[in-house]
C-alpha cells in the first residue's frame, strides 16, 4: 500500500487517502486545498487548480478515495500532491484494509504531525494475516537487559543482529501483467519503462490485498503474490489484467530468489510495528514517547530504530538493528525570534497541535504586517483565513497580542511565498539550532547517543522482542544477538607500521613518541613559514617553536624557517601575505577560532589563506588561537605537516594480497541542491603511501560515472608507470559508498586492458547502516568494545563487516563497523578486510587513534571537499596530501 513516503517529486503515484478537510481559496489559479491522510495517518495535501477536471469535485470529509496518477510536488522537503493530466479519483465504500488494521481511520490530520524521517523506498506494502498485532504490554525499550541474558552467551564477538525465524522456501503465485490500451503499452508512459510499470502494478495490487506482492521479472511484466489475485486495475489509461502463470517456489539458497523473500519479510516487519511506533519504513521506526526532554522543555529526543533484513542461504531470517535519537522541538518559531535568534532561512513546520495542516517551509524574513490585514490571495484578513485551520480561542489570543509574522517559502518559486504567524510554526531541530537554544541538552544527547555496547545491546534486544509475532509469517524473534550466516575473522595484531631506521610499531604515536623511531621519510625540502595575527604573536610564537622542536624529535626538522605577522582585516590583505609564502614548502598559520571570526568585523582569514595557498601549491597547516598551548595536538600537527610537504611519517610494513596499488574514488554530493559538486580519486601504493590525487568539479546533475572511473584508471596507469617504470599488475579500487554505475560494463572495459592491468578488484566501502559489533565478557556477563580488526564475512554473498576502531583506544560508545562489498575480483574477503584495516591505520594526520575509514576513500573525500571549496587546483595531479 503506497503511503506518503512513497511520493516522489514530479512522479505519478496511485495512493489511497482519507479526506480530513477542505480549504477553499479565492485565488486566480488555486481553487482549493484538500487535506488528506494516508493509511498510516500521515497528513498530505492536494492542491486543486481552477483548470483541473476535478475543480468541482465534491469531496466528502471522512471518506476514503483512490487517487490514480496523482503527481508528487516537493515544497522544501514537504511532499504534497498535484493533479496529473489523467488523474482519476475513485470514492471507496469501505476503508482500505491497511487503514482499518493500522489505526489510520481514527487519526486526524491534527493528531498525525509530520516528523522528519528517512523513508525506505523499497518497502511499499502493508498487510495483515495470521496472528494480529496486539496491544498487550511487553517489555519497554529499557528492559532488554533481562531478556539479553536470560540464556547463557558464549565468550566472544557478536554482531548486533537477531534471528527472526526460518524461511527456506515460499510457494507464491506468479502472474504476467497484460496491459490493454490504444496502440499497446508504451514504456515511455512510466518512469523506468517496463520495469517501472511492473513495479507500479505490483504496488497497486499490494494496496488492494491483504497479502504481499512484489516484482518477479520486471522486464517481462512478472510479479509474485503470496495469495491469488483476480481483479483488473487501471494505470495511466491502461487496463491491467493479471494472467496466472502457475505457482513458483522461491528458495533462499537461490541468488535470484532471496531478493523477493527479503522484500516480503521487510513488509512483515513494518506491519509488526505499525500502530505502536511512528513508522515510515523499517529504517525509520520512532518510539511514540520521548526518551529525554530538555530541562528548558524546548526539545524532545525520541529513540529511532533502523532495521535491515537479510535471508541467509539456509533460510535463516536475520534482522540487524541500529538505534539513534530523533529530535523534535516544542517551541514556536515566534519564541525563536523573541530569544534574539536570526530566523531567516531557518526551516520550520506547522505546529499540528495548533494548526490542522502539517507543512514545512523556509522563513524568508519577518515582515511588518498586522494579523487583521487582508491577504492578497484569499482576499480576506489573515485572522479570518485562519478560522479554517486554527481553533477560535487561539485566534482570539493572537488578535489580542502583537504576533510575529514572516514570509514563508513553501516551494521553490517566488509564487510559493506566503505570510504566516510564527506562533503557529515550530523550528525543525538540527544540532546547530539545538546548540543555539540549549547547548546543555545538546551535550546530553551527544553523550547518550554514544551508547556503550551493554546499553546498546540491551535497548535493541528489547525492541526486537516487541517485533513478534509478526502478522504474516508469525516470526517470533529470539531476543539474543546471533552471528548466524557469518564467519568471524581477525586481522593479526602485529607491529605492522614501519618508521625510521626500519623499525616497526603498532600505531603512530607508538613509533614517533613512545619509541622515538623517527619518521619513515622526511620531506626532501622542508622550508617553513609561520604567520600569526599581530595580536596573538606573544602566544603563537612560543607555541610554534615547540612544534619545530617536535619536528626535530621526529627527525624531520625544517630546512629553513621564517615567521611574520599579519593584521586581521580584509581578505585582500590575507591574499598578499599568502603570495609571500609561495617560495616555501609549507606554511603554519595561526587563525582565530571560527565562531569568533564569524562574529567579528574582520574577514575570516582561514578560507582565504587555504584558497590562495592551495592555488600556489603550498600546503598549509592551520592552528586555531584556542589551541595555542594545547600539547595534545602538537603530534598531529607535525605529522600532518610532514605528510603535506611530501614526507612519510610512517607506512604499512606488509599489506596482504600481492597488490601493487589502491585507487580511492569519492564524489561530494550536496543533498540540499541534489547536485554532485566535486569528485576525486587518489593512487595509493601497496605500503599505504600516497602517490597522487586528482580532483574535478562536477556540473549540476552529473554523476561520477563509468567514463570517469575509466579515465581515472588510465591516469593510474600513467602515474604508476612513470613512478615504477612498469604497469601495475594488481589494482584494488575502493569506492566510497556504492558505485552507482553499470559495473558489468566497466568490468568488460577493464578486461580489454589485461596487458596493462592483469588483475583488478572493485570494492565498495559503505559507512552507514551496518550492524554494530561488540565483545561479550562471559565472566562479567556484559558486552564491551570489540577489538580493532574484527571482521564478519557472510557465507552466502560477497560482503564483510569490519571494525577499524575500538579496543584499547577507548573510543566512546560502540564503534561503527564498515561494510566491505566485493563487486569484482578474485581476492578473498579475508584479504580485502585486512587490506582495508591496514589502510585505516595509514592516516598520517592521527597519531593516537585509528581513523574509521581507509585512506583510499578518506583521502578522496577530503580531496573532493577541498576541491569543492576552491582550496585545490582542480583537474591537475596533486602530490602529497595537502587536503588532510
Amino acid at each position: 500500500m503506497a503511503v506518503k513516503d512513497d511520493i516522489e517529486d514530479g512522479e505519478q503515484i496511485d495512493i489511497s487517502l482519507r479526506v480530513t478537510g477542505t480549504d477553499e481559496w479565492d485565488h486566480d489559479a488555486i481553487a482549493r486545498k484538500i487535506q488528506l491522510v494516508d493509511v498510516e495517518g500521515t497528513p498530505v495535501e492536494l492542491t486543486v487548480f481552477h483548470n483541473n477536471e476535478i475543480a468541482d469535485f465534491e469531496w466528502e470529509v471522512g471518506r476514503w478515495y483512490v487517487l490514480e496518477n496523482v503527481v508528487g510536488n516537493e515544497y522544501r522537503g514537504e511532499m504534497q500532491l498535484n493533479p496529473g493530466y489523467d488523474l482519476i479519483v475513485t470514492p471507496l465504500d469501505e476503508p482500505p484494509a491497511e487503514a482499518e488494521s493500522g489505526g489510520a481511520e481514527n487519526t486526524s490530520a491534527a493528531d498525525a504531525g509530520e516528523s522528519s524521517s528517512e523513508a525506505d523506498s523499497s518497502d511499499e506494502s502493508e498487510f495483515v494475516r495470521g496472528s494480529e498485532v496486539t496491544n498487550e504490554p511487553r517489555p519497554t525499550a529499557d528492559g532488554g537487559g533481562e531478556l539479553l541474558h536470560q540464556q547463557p552467551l558464549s565468550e566472544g564477538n557478536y554482531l548486533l543482529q537477531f534471528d527472526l525465524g526460518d524461511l527456506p522456501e515460499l510457494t507464491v503465485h506468479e502472474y504476467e501483467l497484460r496491459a490493454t490500451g490504444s496502440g499497446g503499452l508504451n514504456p515511455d508512459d512510466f518512469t523506468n519503462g517496463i520495469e517501472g510499470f511492473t513495479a507500479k502494478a505490483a504496488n497497486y495490487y499490494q494496496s488492494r490485498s491483504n497479502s504481499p506482492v512484489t516484482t518477479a521479472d520486471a522486464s517481462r511484466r512478472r510479479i509474485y503474490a503470496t495469495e491469488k489475485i483476480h481483479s483488473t486495475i487501471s494505470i495511466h489509461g491502461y487496463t491491467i489484467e493479471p494472467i496466472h502463470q502457475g505457482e513458483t517456489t522461491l528458495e533462499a539458497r537461490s541468488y535470484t530468489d532471496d531478493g523477493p523473500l527479503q522484500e516480503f519479510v521487510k513488509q512483515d516487519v513494518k506491519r509488526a510495528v505499525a500502530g505502536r511506533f511512528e513508522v515510515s519504513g523499517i529504517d525509520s521506526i520512532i518510539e511514540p514517547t520521548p526518551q529525554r526532554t530538555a530541562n528548558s522543555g524546548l526539545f524532545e529526543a525520541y529513540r529511532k530504530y533502523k532495521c535491515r533484513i537479510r535471508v541467509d542461504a539456509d533460510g535463516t531470517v536475520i534482522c540487524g538493528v541500529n538505534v539513534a535519537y530523533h529530535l523534535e522541538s516544542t517551541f514556536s518559531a515566534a519564541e525563536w525570534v523573541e530569544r534574539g535568534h536570526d530566523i531567516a532561512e531557518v526551516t520550520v513546520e506547522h505546529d499540528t497541535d495548533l494548526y490542522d495542516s502539517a507543512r514545512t517551509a523556509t522563513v524568508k524574513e519577518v515582515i511588518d504586517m498586522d494579523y487583521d490585514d487582508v491577504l492578497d490571495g484569499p482576499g480576506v484578513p489573515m485572522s479570518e483565513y485562519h478560522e479554517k485551520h486554527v481553533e477560535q480561542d487561539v485566534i482570539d489570543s493572537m488578535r489580542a497580542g502583537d504576533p510575529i509574522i514572516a514570509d514563508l517559502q513553501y516551494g521553490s518559486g517566488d509564487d510559493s511565498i506566503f505570510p504566516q504567524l510564527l506562533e503557529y510554526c515550530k523550528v525543525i531541530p538540527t544540532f546547530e539550532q539545538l546548540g543555539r537554544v540549549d547547548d546543555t541538552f545538546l551535550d546530553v544527547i551527544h553523550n547518550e547517543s554514544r551508547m556503550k555496547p551493554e546499553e546498546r545491546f540491551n535497548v535493541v534486544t528489547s525492541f526486537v522482542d516487541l517485533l513478534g509475532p509478526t502478522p504474516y509469517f508469525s516470526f517470533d524473534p529470539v531476543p539474543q544477538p546471533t552471528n548466524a550466516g557469518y564467519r568471524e575473522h581477525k586481522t593479526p595484531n602485529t607491529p605492522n607500521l614501519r618508521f625510521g631506521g626500519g623499525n616497526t610499531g603498532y600505531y603512530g604515536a607508538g613509533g614517533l613518541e613512545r619509541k622515538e623511531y623517527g619518521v619513515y621519510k622526511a620531506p626532501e625540502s622542508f622550508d617553513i613559514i609561520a604567520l600569526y595575527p599581530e595580536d596573538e604573536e606573544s602566544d603563537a610564537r612560543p607555541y610554534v617553536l615547540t612544534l619545530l622542536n617536535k619536528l626535530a624529535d621526529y627527525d624531520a626538522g625544517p630546512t629553513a624557517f621564517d615567521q611574520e605577522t599579519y593584521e586581521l582585516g580584509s581578505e585582500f590583505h590575507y591574499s598578499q601575505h599568502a603570495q609571500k609564502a609561495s617560495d616555501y614548502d609549507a606554511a603554519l598559520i595561526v587563525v582565530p577560532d571560527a565562531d569568533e571570526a564569524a562574529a567579528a568585523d574582520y574577514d575570516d582569514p582561514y578560507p582565504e589563506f587555504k584558497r590562495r595557498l592551495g592555488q600556489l601549491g603550498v600546503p598549509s597547516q592551520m592552528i586555531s588561537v584556542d589551541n595555542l598551548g594545547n600539547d595534545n595536538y602538537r603530534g598531529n600537527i607535525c605529522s600532518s605537516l610532514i605528510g603535506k610537504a611530501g614526507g612519510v611519517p610512517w607506512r604499512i610494513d606488509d599489506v596482504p594480497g600481492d597488490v601493487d596499488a589502491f585507487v580511492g574514488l569519492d564524489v561530494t554530493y550536496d543533498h540540499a541542491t541534489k547536485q554532485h559538486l566535486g569528485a576525486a580519486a587518489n593512487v595509493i601504493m601497496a605500503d599505504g603511501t600516497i602517490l597522487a590525487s586528482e580532483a574535478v568539479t562536477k556540473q549540476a546533475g552529473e554523476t561520477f560515472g563509468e567514463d570517469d572511473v575509466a579515465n581515472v584508471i588510465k591516469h593510474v596507469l600513467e602515474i604508476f608507470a612513470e613512478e615504477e617504470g612498469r604497469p601495475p599488475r594488481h589494482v584494488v579500487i575502493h569506492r566510497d559508498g556504492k558505485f552507482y554505475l553499470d559495473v558489468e560494463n566497466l568490468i568488460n572495459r577493464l578486461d580489454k586492458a589485461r596487458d596493462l592491468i592483469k588483475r583488478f578488484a572493485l570494492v565498495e566501502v559503505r559507512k552507514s547502516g551496518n550492524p554494530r559489533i561488540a565483545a561479550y565478557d562471559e565472566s562479567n556477563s556484559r558486552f564491551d568494545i570489540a577489538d580493532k580488526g574484527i571482521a564478519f564475512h557472510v557465507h552466502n554473498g560477497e560482503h564483510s563487516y569490519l571494525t577499524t576502531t575500538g579496543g584499547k583506544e577507548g573510543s566512546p560508545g560502540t564503534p561503527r563497523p564498515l561494510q566491505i562489498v566485493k563487486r569484482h575480483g578474485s581476492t578473498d574477503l579475508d584479504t580485502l578486510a585486512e587490506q582495508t584495516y591496514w589502510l585505516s591505520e595509514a592516516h598520517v594526520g592521527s597519531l593516537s587513534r585509528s581513523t574509521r575509514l581507509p585512506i583510499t576513500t578518506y583521502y578522496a573525500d577530503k580531496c573532493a571537499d577541498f576541491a569543492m571549496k576552491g582550496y585545490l587546483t582542480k583537474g591537475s595531479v596533486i602530490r602529497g596530501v595537502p587536503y588532510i
Side-chain angles (χ1 to χ4, degrees), residues 39-52:
V39 294
E40 295 180 338
T42 304
V44 60
E45 192 168 70
L46 170 70
T47 300
V48 179
F49 300 94
H50 287 294
N51 59 359
N52 293 143

Side-chain angles (χ1 to χ4, degrees), residues 45 116 140 153 160 175 214 217 339 451 603 746 842 850:
E45 192 168 70
S116 57
T140 68
L153 287 171
L160 188 48
Y175 290 88
T214 191
D217 186 344
R339 289 170 175 263
M451 293 183 185
D603 294 333
L746 175 62
S850 306

